[in-house]
Amino acid sequence: QVQLVESGGGLVQAGGSLRLSCAASRSISSINAMTWARQAPGKQRDMVASITNQGSTNYADSVKGRFTISRDSAKNTVYLQINSLKPEDTAVYYCGGVVGSWVYWGQGTQVTVSS
């Protein structure tokens, strides 16, 4: 099991940047993969970025070139750098940890982008 706590969300103008953080309760090296997903009101939760414990990354097409996922194993923390924010990026952003066949989610952090 793993507990995840996201932070770093907020209100930002279009074109701005944010860095989201996800602190894990255990070594992220022991977690198969870490992922960021977002959910806008009335929509499903969609993955936007993931990173394996080998360091391989994957991004949704809609965020490639603007979002960067990274990790600091010493701090058991995963980051999501979001640049060139757009109003359609407005959502609750969730951090997930994949352990075996389970995905553990944090409580989410709200990102609101004003036009």
Side-chain angles (χ1 to χ4, degrees):
Q1 197 172 20
V2 58
Q3 285 77 47
L4 302 168
V5 179
E6 303 96 333
S7 60
L11 174 63
V12 63
Q13 289 188 331
S17 298
L18 281 174
R19 189 177 80 157
L20 308 183
S21 299
C22 172
S25 62
R26 58 186 267 189
S27 170
I28 59 174
S29 297
S30 68
I31 300 172
N32 300 114
M34 298 292 295
T35 186
W36 284 97
R38 65 186 181 186
Q39 187 167 20
K43 296 188 177 181
Q44 67 181 20
R45 187 177 300 186
D46 292 323
M47 189 278 290
V48 294
S50 64
I51 185 166
T52 70
N53 57 8
Q54 302 297 315
S56 297
T57 59
N58 188 40
Y59 297 92
D61 288 341
S62 60
V63 306
K64 283 181 180 177
R66 297 191 299 122
F67 288 22
T68 302
I69 189 170
S70 62
R71 62 182 185 176
D72 185 333
S73 297
K75 296 182 179 179
N76 292 328
T77 299
V78 176
Y79 303 98
L80 185 68
Q81 178 69 40
I82 310 175
N83 298 326
S84 302
L85 277 156
K86 305 175 182 180
E88 51 265 41
D89 294 321
T90 294
V92 178
Y93 283 70
Y94 296 92
C95 173
V98 181
V99 181
S101 59
W102 292 93
V103 182
Y104 297 91
W105 294 102
Q107 83 289 347
T109 185
Q110 176 71 46
V111 172
T112 303
V113 184
S114 62
S115 57

